[in-house]
Amino acid sequence: EENVARALILVGTIYMVGDDIRDWHTMGERNSNLFALVHGLENGRGAVISRLDSMLAELNMCLTSSPPVADFAPIVAMIASKWRDALGQF
């Protein structure tokens, strides 16, 4: 149960990262927590990318120990990769 709960939190957090990136690109949103983090730290972009990668690795560990009926890890990895690339434009 804990693995499932943690996996869902990780998927939700990865989604929120993408939502902030999408809002930055499509609506010019500059008041998001992600934007503040990226621009408020010396290596903000690198820190966010590193955290995104570690969340994806943790998600894979959760799914390995509690495999879902339908493996959605590749889809989340593809989405996270798009967010990683988009962060380069932040």
Side-chain angles (χ1 to χ4, degrees):
E1 185 177 318
E2 288 180 30
N3 275 336
V4 173
R6 183 64 186 149
L8 293 175
I9 288 169
L10 290 163
V11 169
T13 304
I14 291 168
Y15 175 83
M16 284 190 314
V17 168
D19 187 56
D20 280 357
I21 292 170
R22 184 175 44 248
D23 290 349
W24 184 84
H25 280 287
T26 62
M27 298 187 310
E29 174 68 51
R30 299 298 186 263
N31 294 319
S32 71
N33 291 331
L34 182 65
F35 186 81
L37 179 65
V38 166
H39 292 284
L41 296 174
E42 184 175 326
N43 184 27
R45 185 175 292 114
V48 171
I49 290 171
S50 176
R51 182 64 183 125
L52 185 59
D53 291 343
S54 69
M55 286 189 301
L56 199 54
E58 185 180 355
L59 175 62
N60 286 328
M61 286 177 22
C62 289
L63 297 178
T64 297
S65 67
S66 300
V69 173
D71 183 14
F72 57 88
I75 294 168
V76 176
M78 178 192 67
I79 292 168
S81 178
K82 288 170 65 174
W83 298 159
R84 191 181 305 105
D85 293 345
L87 281 165
Q89 301 170 20
F90 234 56

